[in-house]
Amino acid sequence: MTYASRRKSIGLTKRVFAGLVGAGALAAVLQPAVAFAQDDPFSQFPLVIHCKSNETFHAFYISRVSRDGVATYVASDRIAGTITLDGKAKAVGGAGGGSCVGKTLAELRASQQAYDLKP
């Protein structure tokens, strides 16, 4: 003999299980969008870029990467610059710049001005 409450419990368990399986299938369908959002943008840019400006060498550390792929680097003396994966380095805030301005990431790496963090 099976009690009514046990039948309801088994029916509820089956529904919950079916819902979880359906949610898993939905997550599998949405996985490419989720994977893109979880990509580490910092792994695509060097950790440090060093430049010479006004006879002084500065180490610019990566500070942020915006949604549109613009990386911002900051150094002491409140100076900063930006660069994209396929664009050229630009100074922020002033007309000046240094030995990095106008170079691409490939050029900065080739001239050993960019340092990547490798595990």
Side-chain angles (χ1 to χ4, degrees):
M1 175 175 195
T2 304
Y3 294 101
S5 63
R6 178 149 169 91
R7 284 190 304 243
K8 287 181 184 175
S9 175
I10 291 171
L12 179 61
T13 302
K14 286 180 181 178
R15 278 187 250 134
V16 169
F17 181 73
L20 290 174
V21 169
L26 181 61
V29 169
L30 296 177
Q31 187 63 31
V34 173
F36 180 77
Q38 292 176 351
D39 284 344
D40 181 17
F42 288 101
S43 67
Q44 300 174 342
F45 291 95
L47 178 66
V48 177
I49 297 175
H50 76 83
C51 306
K52 185 177 180 182
S53 178
N54 298 327
E55 300 303 316
T56 303
F57 290 94
H58 298 276
F60 289 82
Y61 296 90
I62 191 163
S63 174
R64 68 179 179 191
V65 179
S66 65
R67 210 170 222 191
D68 56 350
V70 177
T72 302
Y73 287 82
V74 295
S76 60
D77 299 334
R78 300 173 70 139
I79 55 178
T82 61
I83 195 166
T84 60
L85 288 174
D86 57 353
K88 296 186 178 197
K90 299 176 188 171
V92 173
S99 61
C100 293
V101 173
K103 291 184 179 179
T104 65
L105 282 176
E107 292 169 332
L108 291 168
R109 286 185 171 115
S111 64
Q112 297 181 347
Q113 290 180 268
Y115 297 96
D116 293 297
L117 180 63
K118 304 224 174 165

